[in-house]
Amino acid sequence: MERSKKPSAIPVSPTIPTPQVSISEDNSRVTASLPTGESVEVLLFGATVLSWKTAKGKENMFVSDKAILDGSKAVRGGIPLVFPNFGPSSNKATEGLPQHGFARTAKWEYLGKSSSESSTLPNSSGDSSVKLDFGLSNTMLEKIPSEWKNYQFGITYSVTLGKDDLETSLAIRNTGEKDFEFQTLLHSYWAIDNISNVSVSGLEKVSFADKVGGGKKEESEAITVSSEVDRVYHVDPSQEIAIFEKDKPRFEFTRDMLPDVVVWNPWIEKSKTMSDLGPEDAYKRFICVETGSVRWNTLEAGDTWEGGQRIKAL
Ligand code: TA6
């Protein structure tokens, strides 16, 4: 063979930094980070997002310093997943289930990671993101203290960390022969510096169920918080919702198939009744803006329901 034809050396491209995923030694948490510095941490109890940090290390999630993280109680903070009932059970099938259902304390399975192409929502942040999938099915639950023990279901919960956003989406499959009804909600605790400087926009002139004062009400201005707030809004997913701090946007919400928004802050007196909420002035440093479908959704045998939110941190 003529030497001169020897192919020239193939240039080796520098290793492209890729998202990193790690599982804690006690197999209770999954952490992912992007080469640009963003990170997310998910607790397998409840598949609860515990932390979401920007590239500069700013924490976007509030977690109480007294939060219980062993699955014996829902996490007081992060993004607990409400399913199959919102609040105390309010239909026959969920009688006996705890407030906000069993999904937020169940031990979920980590199903693996994948790259970003799988994002469903519009203008997602391109390929510098990582998606973590978690699963829960009726077979994984020890004891379901209600009629729900007769239903078969499988839930895939996807947490996608992007450059300046976090997407959390659910696919709920009815794998049994019986139709069932469910409610679901992403009960998110957003970290803020001071509740007195915060407002929530996008719900002006939308009527809400006031769980503090009772009845149905409506407000023409953006929501501000100076006492206990607990409200349920029904508002089309196309309606943009945002949290402002000192008149600057802090979080922007995009919703898919989640027509309900709950706004909650326990304020002073209610906070004192919550043993897992600390420190004492914790209520100043979070606001819950929770997206979901808290009307009763009927899922027929063999069918799948999908919904999700994408949050941009600013
Ligand atoms: O989503 C708001 C709400 O339903 C409030 O009524 C309040 O109870 C809050 O959830 C916290 O519920 P938890 O069961 O986590 O104490």
Side-chain angles (χ1 to χ4, degrees), residues 7-114:
S8 58
I10 300 168
V12 177
S13 65
T15 49
I16 300 167
T18 56
Q20 301 300 306
V21 175
S22 62
I23 301 177
S24 62
E25 256 174 50
D26 65 357
N27 191 32
S28 68
R29 300 173 188 213
V30 179
T31 303
S33 58
L34 297 180
T36 37
E38 296 79 0
S39 69
V40 66
E41 183 180 36
V42 181
L43 181 73
L44 291 180
F45 289 112
T48 311
V49 171
L50 281 184
S51 167
W52 168 34
K53 289 186 179 153
T54 65
K56 293 202 182 88
K58 183 173 174 114
E59 180 56 73
N60 293 313
M61 307 310 308
F62 165 87
V63 175
S64 157
D65 60 12
K66 295 182 185 170
I68 313 284
L69 303 173
D70 63 4
S72 61
K73 191 175 176 357
V75 176
R76 184 61 68 203
I79 309 182
L81 270 177
V82 169
F83 174 90
N85 52 296
F86 169 64
S89 76
S90 56
N91 79 350
K92 179 111 186 38
T94 55
E95 250 167 44
L97 289 184
Q99 150 119 334
H100 293 334
F102 50 67
R104 62 178 184 160
T105 50
K107 181 99 187 249
W108 290 61
E109 187 187 350
Y110 172 52
L111 303 174
K113 68 167 182 169
S114 54

Side-chain angles (χ1 to χ4, degrees), residues 73-76 86-87 99-100 104 185 187 189 211 230 262-264 270 274 290:
K73 191 175 176 357
V75 176
R76 184 61 68 203
F86 169 64
Q99 150 119 334
H100 293 334
R104 62 178 184 160
L185 180 89
H187 196 300
Y189 292 72
K211 289 168 75 175
D230 193 352
V262 174
V263 179
W264 180 60
K270 184 83 180 263
M274 299 160 67
E290 313 158 24

Side-chain angles (χ1 to χ4, degrees), residues 6 42 45 47-48 52 60 66 68 82-83 143 154 172 184 220 229 238 241 245 251 264 268 289 312:
K6 201 169 76 181
V42 181
F45 289 112
T48 311
W52 168 34
N60 293 313
K66 295 182 185 170
I68 313 284
V82 169
F83 174 90
K143 218 165 59 41
I172 302 171
T184 191
S220 55
V229 167
S238 61
I241 310 281
E245 187 145 22
F251 297 106
W264 180 60
I268 301 168
V289 175
K312 199 174 164 68

